[in-house]
Amino acid sequence: MAASMCDVFSFCVGVAGRARVAVEVRFVSSAKGKGLFATQLIQKGETIFIERPLVAAQFLWNALYRYRACDHCLRALEKAEENAQRLTGKPGQVLPHPELCTVRKDLHQNCPHCQVTYCSTECLLAAAEQYHQVLCPGPSQDDPLHPLNKLQEAWRSVHYPPETASIMLMARMVATVKQAKDKDRWIRLFSQFCNKTANEEEEIVHKLLGDKFKGQLELLRRLFTEALYEEALSQWFTLDGFRSLFALVGTNGQGIGTSSLSQWVHACDALELKPQDREQLDAFIDQLYKDIEAATGEFLNCEGSGLFVLQSCCNHSCVPNAETSFPENNFLLHVTALEDIKPGEEICISYLDCCQRERSRHSRHKILRENYLFVCSCPKCLAEADEPNMTSEEEDEEEDEEGEPEDAELGDEMTDV
């Protein structure tokens, strides 16, 4: 049974008129399923909607490596300077303009039973009301034999960084239903997300868990059942149902990234400074990121994923007219127009990053098939349909053989960073 649009839009935040929900969900085709369409003119740069997820969770390795985030909304909890010190490995690292850091440690709260940290009393109460009463391990937070800790350790042993999903997102789905007074309403909401065939589901699980995925999936299912079984969701705990749940999270989970340092940098960019002071600050920030890259690599943010009902209805295009972001340094997703969108026009985002979108049609299709199990037929892909079926990497190799400079491939790699 489909959830009502009232159910769907109740999770689209539109708080205090900050964003208007000028959209509707329509069936597009059997191949694409649902799509999101504008109901009125949306101007370039306008926030189309703001949405909070049904559930969200930080990635487990990310949390283990001390990327401190609110256990509910994923807001970064470190001060910007602390964040810089950890990422550079320099305990004495000092940031100019510390007043631009927005982290309020005086508002942080801990669960009185298990001590997980929240950015505010509001998040502590929201988590307790939705799912944390079921998931709180109490004094067993660090007990390796606690059922949830066994489940998390098993997940970390099969899903290594760079992470794309978390077993705890699934756990919070179950816990939400277990705690809910209206269990059917939440089951309907979770059923909104796209379904795959058995073969497609198996491909997704293989992608998440690797070559030995069948044995690993059964181990995770057994531990998941021991920790969280719920009669109202009995189908989710069968082998087929658990595989479907995995596929749902694997294809619909939207990545979330937060960073107090990034917020500080954006605030620095907005400062009105004398040209000499601007040049010095920009040089400092450039060097800071070089130091971070040398010490930490590409893992800069608190990272997790969430399930967003409206965002999940946005289909992909290699020439998107909208983009997603998390400018509030928490799990609130903003969808913003990249160009004017007319009434009746479909709102499309890109599942590829900006560098991937510049690759060849064949390369883009390869990434989309492997990760999302569909073939793109957007205007750009149709216009390039006559191009040879060759990945960008193969094209690069051909260019090298034809006498391109040795650093041509390096240029592509630097563009991808």
Side-chain angles (χ1 to χ4, degrees), residues 20-26 35-42 48 321 340-347:
R20 59 194 176 93
V21 184
V23 299
E24 65 180 5
V25 179
R26 298 181 195 165
L36 200 64
F37 292 80
T39 57
Q40 53 189 282
L41 176 65
I42 301 170
I48 303 170
N321 57 11
D340 289 352
I341 303 174
K342 299 175 184 177
E345 188 176 348
E346 185 174 7
I347 297 166

Side-chain angles (χ1 to χ4, degrees), residues 226-247:
E226 289 174 3
L228 294 163
Y229 184 77
E230 164 61 39
E231 185 62 36
L233 296 169
S234 58
Q235 173 58 27
W236 285 8
F237 294 88
T238 67
L239 188 56
D240 288 345
F242 191 62
R243 184 188 62 209
S244 297
L245 191 59
F246 246 85

Side-chain angles (χ1 to χ4, degrees), residues 60-227:
L60 292 179
W61 280 105
N62 190 258
L64 189 68
Y65 281 117
R66 299 187 297 117
Y67 288 76
R68 297 185 59 239
C70 173
D71 199 58
H72 181 63
C73 78
L74 274 68
R75 183 183 298 277
L77 298 178
E78 291 177 305
K79 288 276 192 179
E81 190 166 272
E82 293 174 319
N83 194 196
Q85 289 168 351
R86 179 174 57 80
L87 293 175
T88 60
K90 298 178 179 180
Q93 177 72 63
V94 176
L95 297 186
H97 303 289
E99 73 281 359
L100 297 179
C101 177
T102 58
V103 174
R104 292 283 306 276
K105 287 199 166 187
D106 56 309
L107 298 180
H108 294 179
Q109 298 288 326
N110 287 36
C111 169
H113 307 293
C114 68
Q115 302 305 310
V116 297
T117 307
Y118 300 94
C119 67
S120 63
T121 300
E122 289 77 11
C123 276
L124 182 149
L125 294 175
E129 181 179 352
Q130 183 178 336
Y131 56 80
H132 190 66
Q133 294 175 50
V134 168
L135 297 179
C136 180
S140 300
Q141 171 76 354
D142 298 319
D143 180 1
L145 298 180
H146 187 280
L148 280 174
N149 290 335
K150 289 166 65 176
L151 176 65
Q152 292 178 76
E153 181 57 34
W155 175 258
R156 280 193 293 264
S157 72
V158 298
H159 190 67
Y160 294 96
E163 298 169 273
T164 57
S166 172
I167 196 77
M168 293 310 293
L169 191 65
M170 297 161 62
R172 289 187 178 183
M173 292 170 68
V174 173
T176 294
V177 174
K178 287 174 79 78
Q179 278 191 214
K181 293 179 180 177
D182 187 351
K183 298 182 189 302
D184 288 341
R185 173 174 174 268
W186 278 99
I187 293 171
R188 289 196 303 270
L189 281 167
F190 289 133
S191 73
Q192 286 290 295
F193 297 96
C194 68
N195 297 312
K196 300 291 183 182
T197 66
N199 286 340
E200 288 175 329
E201 288 174 353
E202 197 156 287
E203 283 188 55
I204 296 164
V205 175
H206 186 183
K207 182 79 176 176
L208 287 172
L209 300 182
D211 291 337
K212 299 179 180 177
F213 70 94
K214 290 185 177 178
Q216 292 165 342
L217 185 68
E218 175 54 27
L219 171 63
L220 290 169
R221 187 191 69 83
R222 179 173 57 79
L223 293 172
F224 195 77
T225 302
E226 289 174 3

Side-chain angles (χ1 to χ4, degrees), residues 316-318 361 364-365 368 374-379 381-382:
H316 164 83
S317 172
C318 297
R361 173 179 175 271
R364 299 196 306 272
H365 280 203
L368 292 168
F374 72 88
V375 176
C376 182
S377 58
C378 73
C381 287
L382 292 176

Side-chain angles (χ1 to χ4, degrees), residues 174-393:
V174 173
T176 294
V177 174
K178 287 174 79 78
Q179 278 191 214
K181 293 179 180 177
D182 187 351
K183 298 182 189 302
D184 288 341
R185 173 174 174 268
W186 278 99
I187 293 171
R188 289 196 303 270
L189 281 167
F190 289 133
S191 73
Q192 286 290 295
F193 297 96
C194 68
N195 297 312
K196 300 291 183 182
T197 66
N199 286 340
E200 288 175 329
E201 288 174 353
E202 197 156 287
E203 283 188 55
I204 296 164
V205 175
H206 186 183
K207 182 79 176 176
L208 287 172
L209 300 182
D211 291 337
K212 299 179 180 177
F213 70 94
K214 290 185 177 178
Q216 292 165 342
L217 185 68
E218 175 54 27
L219 171 63
L220 290 169
R221 187 191 69 83
R222 179 173 57 79
L223 293 172
F224 195 77
T225 302
E226 289 174 3
L228 294 163
Y229 184 77
E230 164 61 39
E231 185 62 36
L233 296 169
S234 58
Q235 173 58 27
W236 285 8
F237 294 88
T238 67
L239 188 56
D240 288 345
F242 191 62
R243 184 188 62 209
S244 297
L245 191 59
F246 246 85
L248 183 154
V249 169
T251 53
N252 295 283
Q254 163 68 45
I256 300 169
T258 63
S259 167
S260 54
L261 180 61
S262 176
Q263 293 283 301
W264 174 83
V265 170
H266 287 308
C268 285
D269 290 342
L271 287 174
E272 294 185 8
L273 300 172
K274 295 177 181 177
Q276 183 178 356
D277 293 338
R278 166 56 61 193
E279 186 177 337
Q280 288 178 346
L281 182 57
D282 288 348
F284 174 85
I285 292 172
D286 287 345
Q287 185 58 52
L288 179 65
Y289 276 113
K290 288 177 183 177
D291 293 343
I292 290 172
E293 184 177 5
T296 312
E298 63 186 50
F299 299 105
L300 304 183
N301 300 332
C302 298
E303 295 180 346
S305 63
L307 293 176
F308 297 85
V309 176
L310 280 182
Q311 177 272 337
S312 73
C313 296
C314 293
N315 287 310
H316 164 83
S317 172
C318 297
V319 280
N321 57 11
E323 66 178 356
T324 60
S325 63
F326 297 90
E328 299 186 47
N329 197 34
N330 62 10
F331 64 14
L332 289 181
L333 177 142
H334 290 227
V335 176
T336 306
L338 294 173
E339 58 189 51
D340 289 352
I341 303 174
K342 299 175 184 177
E345 188 176 348
E346 185 174 7
I347 297 166
C348 292
I349 59 176
S350 180
Y351 302 169
L352 306 174
D353 64 36
C354 58
C355 296
Q356 291 170 332
R357 291 201 298 272
E358 296 306 313
R359 309 300 281 178
S360 71
R361 173 179 175 271
H362 190 63
S363 290
R364 299 196 306 272
H365 280 203
K366 184 173 183 289
I367 296 168
L368 292 168
R369 276 197 307 270
E370 288 179 353
N371 292 280
Y372 301 99
L373 307 182
F374 72 88
V375 176
C376 182
S377 58
C378 73
K380 181 174 183 178
C381 287
L382 292 176
E384 297 174 355
D386 293 332
E387 287 187 357
N389 288 336
M390 185 180 295
T391 65
S392 297
E393 289 78 5

